């Protein structure tokens, strides 16, 4: 009993790990551990019986948390967009655009993956959409199965780090920080990671060109009457819009945060490109090619939705919850415009949103029960002594934490990691002087590997569910195409897991990748501070008069 009393915190944590390894549901494992060890602690005299009376208040506190309303809003928005045909139009158009280039389809998948991440925030929707649409096309034209499956799975997981990411909402709630700050901090790293994916495909195109062939001429259907591709016209339109965006950015004040500058400049450039395309189409001027018009009209709706959601959040016009609500309305409007909105689609999206939201809430309630008892047995102090005693200070702490998250990601979902591990790490990081927004973005990038880890990565499971498990006949060509094996999917994911680890190292080495997107705090010039103090009163009468001046003439004292 003495040993249990002295080591209740590590025994409790080990009990939770045992529950999870046995295979029990995470939410119920957390709650069961919290209740069982809570009653044991009460019996041993470690905890007061009144501790359990705080549970109802903590649970009602969760239900009253407005920040968590963003979860169902963004989930619903992503599911509606995934079923509205937006991903199909984007992949077809961008695939035609990059078709003449080696690896063009892979570039299109990465680009569309980033676009879907910035509009949906749901990994499953992105991976399944691109797996259904682009994988058959990539197999048809001879892409290596490992590269094709790895690119699709990795691009789908960009929805984890590029705002509006669901995991960033949960991370902000667990760290006690603003969702808007978390979005701003993740904005630049998300697109740097996208660039690393592109660099990997470029490297494959140079070293193994047969793995990522260009589209044949007959597959590129968007052409001009003279047979040209129309890319020159698109290039001119891009340069004009880019010049307008840069010129607008030059007029902004230097103290404007990087994320706001990027969003506003992109909005100006995109708006000018759209206006020119509309004028060309209405006036039938034929100054722009079919490719230029097609790319503009396909890209504008999702870009407008991105501005509606992220732009309003970054500019401080709307909270993340309000941005999610506007995004859900915008997604419904896009589905109506494409004539894809129907009662079965709406019912299916609402049903899936309800399931995911309940999943998040139950895990959060379970983690609250667990954390209440864990704090009662001084678990945070045990974790603090464990981590602050590591050699290397902040760097040693960050290396140990990231290795721990990477290993746990083999077995746990990112929701589970956010609810179980992050609350234990936040107090220690705060004591070491680590910015919690920066830490949240760093851990979110690391948790992204939980989707790509063979053999338990959820993105790999999603792709496996839509990839051909048997040989099949391709309808457009009539050729027989081989199946995609599970081993090929796993091997294709490994390079992208390594890229994500490199991104973690880059964020640690260059903290400005995160902090550069945050609002710049005004510097305080201490040299101009003047402290003035009134001289002490020489007698009681003067001080009484001063008090009378401050508070008014007092009423006559009794007996005076």
């Amino acid at each position: 009993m003495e040993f249990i009393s002295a080591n209740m915190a590590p025994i409790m944590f080990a009990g939770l790990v045992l529950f999870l390894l046995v295979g029990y549901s995470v939410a119920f494992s957390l709650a069961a551990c919290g209740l069982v060890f809570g009653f044991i602690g009460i019996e041993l005299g470690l905890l007061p019986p009144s501790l359990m009376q705080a549970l109802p208040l903590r649970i009602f506190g969760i239900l009253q948390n407005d920040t968590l309303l963003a979860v169902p809003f963004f989930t619903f928005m992503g599911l509606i967009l995934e079923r509205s045909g937006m991903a199909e139009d984007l992949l077809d158009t961008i695939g035609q655009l990059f078709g003449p280039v080696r690896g063009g389809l892979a570039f299109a998948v990465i680009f569309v993956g980033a676009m879907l991440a910035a509009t949906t925030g749901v990994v499953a929707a992105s991976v399944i959409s691109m797996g259904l649409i682009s994988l058959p096309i990539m197999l048809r034209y001879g892409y290596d199965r490992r590269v094709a499956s790895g690119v699709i799975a990795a691009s789908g997981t960009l929805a984890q780090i590029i705002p509006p990411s669901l995991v960033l909402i949960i991370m902000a709630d667990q760290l006690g920080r603003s969702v808007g700050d978390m979005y701003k901090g993740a904005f630049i790293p998300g697109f740097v990671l996208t660039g690393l994916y592109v660099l990997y495909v470029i490297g494959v195109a140079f070293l193994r060109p047969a793995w990522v062939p260009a589209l044949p001429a007959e597959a590129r259907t968007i052409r001009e009457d003279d047979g040209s591709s129309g890319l020159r016209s698109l290039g001119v339109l891009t340069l004009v819009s880019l010049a307008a965006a840069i010129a607008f950015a030059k007029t902004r004040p230097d103290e404007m945060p990087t994320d706001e500058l990027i969003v506003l400049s992109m909005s100006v450039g995109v708006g000018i490109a759209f206006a020119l395309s509309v004028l060309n189409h209405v006036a039938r001027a034929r100054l722009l090619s079919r490719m230029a018009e097609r790319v503009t009209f396909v890209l504008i709706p999702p870009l407008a939705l991105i501005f509606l959601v992220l732009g309003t959040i970054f500019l401080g016009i709307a909270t993340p919850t309000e941005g999610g609500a506007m995004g859900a309305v915008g997604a419904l409007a896009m589905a109506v415009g494409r004539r894809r909105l129907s009662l079965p689609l709406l019912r299916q999206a609402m049903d899936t949103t309800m399931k995911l939201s309940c999943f998040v809430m139950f895990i959060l309630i379970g983690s609250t029960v667990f954390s209440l008892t864990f704090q009662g047995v001084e678990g945070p102090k045990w974790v603090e002594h464990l981590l602050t005693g590591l050699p290397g200070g902040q760097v040693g702490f960050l290396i140990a934490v990231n290795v721990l998250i990477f290993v746990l990601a083999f077995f746990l979902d990112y929701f589970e990691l956010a609810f179980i591990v992050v609350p234990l790490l936040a107090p220690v990081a705060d004591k070491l002087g680590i910015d919690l927004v920066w830490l949240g973005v760093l851990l979110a990038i690391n948790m992204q590997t939980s989707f790509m880890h063979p053999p338990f990565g959820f993105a790999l499971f999603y792709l496996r569910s839509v990839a051909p498990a048997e040989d099949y006949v391709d309808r457009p060509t009539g050729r027989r195409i081989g199946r995609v094996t599970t081993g090929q999917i796993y091997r294709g994911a490994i390079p992208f897991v390594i890229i994500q680890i490199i991104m973690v190292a880059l964020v640690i080495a260059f903290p400005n990748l995160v902090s550069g997107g945050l609002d710049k705090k005004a510097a305080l010039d201490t040299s101009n501070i003047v402290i003035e103090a009134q001289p002490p009163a020489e007698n009681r009468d003067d001080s009484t008069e001063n008090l009378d001046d401050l508070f008014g003439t007092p009423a006559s004292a009794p007996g005076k």
Side-chain angles (χ1 to χ4, degrees), residues 284-341:
R284 297 182 179 178
R286 295 187 178 180
L287 296 176
L288 296 178
S289 63
R290 291 192 181 97
M291 177 66 80
E293 281 196 2
R294 174 78 177 271
V295 169
T296 304
F297 291 141
V298 167
L299 287 182
I300 290 302
L303 288 175
L305 191 61
I306 291 172
F307 177 77
L308 181 67
V309 177
L310 296 182
T312 54
I313 294 173
F314 288 171
L315 298 177
I317 300 172
T319 65
T321 302
E322 294 164 349
M326 290 192 295
V329 174
L332 288 171
M334 285 181 60
V336 170
R338 294 172 181 271
R339 298 179 181 178
R340 297 288 183 92
L341 189 64

Side-chain angles (χ1 to χ4, degrees), residues 14-24 29 411-412:
L16 174 62
V17 173
L18 182 62
F19 265 102
L20 295 176
L21 291 177
V22 169
Y24 283 105
S29 297
F411 312 102
L412 298 178

Side-chain angles (χ1 to χ4, degrees), residues 145-146 149 454 460 464 483-494:
R145 283 160 172 73
R146 292 165 295 182
S149 58
L460 308 182
R464 173 69 279 173
R483 64 194 179 98
V484 177
T485 65
T486 303
Q488 289 169 341
I489 294 175
Y490 287 169
R491 288 195 294 274
I494 292 174

Side-chain angles (χ1 to χ4, degrees), residues 50-344:
S50 59
L51 182 72
M52 292 301 170
Q53 296 175 3
L55 273 180
L57 294 176
R58 292 174 69 96
I59 292 173
F60 277 111
I62 295 170
L63 301 179
Q64 294 171 352
N65 190 341
D66 292 339
T67 303
L68 296 176
L69 280 174
V71 173
F73 284 144
F74 283 124
T75 304
F76 181 75
M77 179 182 75
L79 293 169
I80 291 292
L81 289 176
E82 186 249 329
R83 290 164 174 79
S84 68
M86 183 188 72
E88 187 174 353
D89 291 345
L90 281 171
L91 281 168
D92 180 50
T93 303
I94 306 303
Q96 293 284 329
L97 175 63
F98 290 111
V101 183
R102 284 177 185 166
L105 287 177
F107 294 138
V109 168
I110 294 172
F111 183 82
V112 174
M115 291 282 292
L116 291 177
T119 50
T120 65
V122 182
V123 173
S126 299
V127 175
I128 291 173
S129 296
M130 293 190 296
L132 286 171
I133 299 165
S134 62
L135 185 59
I137 300 174
M138 298 173 88
L139 297 179
R140 178 185 304 156
Y141 295 112
Y143 268 67
D144 183 82
R145 283 160 172 73
R146 292 165 295 182
V147 175
S149 58
V151 165
I152 292 172
S155 301
T157 60
L158 287 172
Q160 166 123 352
I161 188 62
I162 294 179
S165 163
L166 295 183
V167 72
L168 292 176
I169 299 173
I170 302 300
M171 195 74 71
D173 179 69
Q174 294 299 301
L175 293 173
R177 292 296 183 265
S178 163
V179 177
D181 285 345
M182 204 66 72
Y183 280 179
K184 291 177 181 181
F187 190 74
I188 297 174
F191 289 103
V192 171
L193 184 60
T194 305
L196 292 178
Y197 289 171
V198 171
L199 287 177
Y200 170 73
V201 175
I202 292 174
V204 172
F206 275 104
L207 298 176
R208 295 286 189 271
W211 288 7
V212 285
L215 280 179
E218 61 272 13
R220 302 196 291 269
T221 56
I222 304 177
R223 291 185 172 276
E224 300 301 295
D225 294 335
D226 59 359
S228 63
S229 62
L231 292 178
R232 183 180 302 174
S233 173
L234 178 61
V236 172
L237 181 64
T238 303
L239 289 176
V240 169
S241 60
L242 185 62
I246 294 174
F248 176 81
K250 295 290 185 182
T251 65
R252 298 297 91 195
D254 294 337
E255 61 270 14
M256 175 174 281
T258 307
D259 62 301
E260 292 185 15
L261 184 65
I262 293 174
V263 169
L264 284 175
S265 302
M266 286 178 58
S267 301
V268 170
V270 168
I272 289 176
F274 183 68
L276 292 176
S277 298
V278 170
L279 288 173
N280 179 77
H281 185 75
V282 172
R284 297 182 179 178
R286 295 187 178 180
L287 296 176
L288 296 178
S289 63
R290 291 192 181 97
M291 177 66 80
E293 281 196 2
R294 174 78 177 271
V295 169
T296 304
F297 291 141
V298 167
L299 287 182
I300 290 302
L303 288 175
L305 191 61
I306 291 172
F307 177 77
L308 181 67
V309 177
L310 296 182
T312 54
I313 294 173
F314 288 171
L315 298 177
I317 300 172
T319 65
T321 302
E322 294 164 349
M326 290 192 295
V329 174
L332 288 171
M334 285 181 60
V336 170
R338 294 172 181 271
R339 298 179 181 178
R340 297 288 183 92
L341 189 64
S342 62
L343 192 59

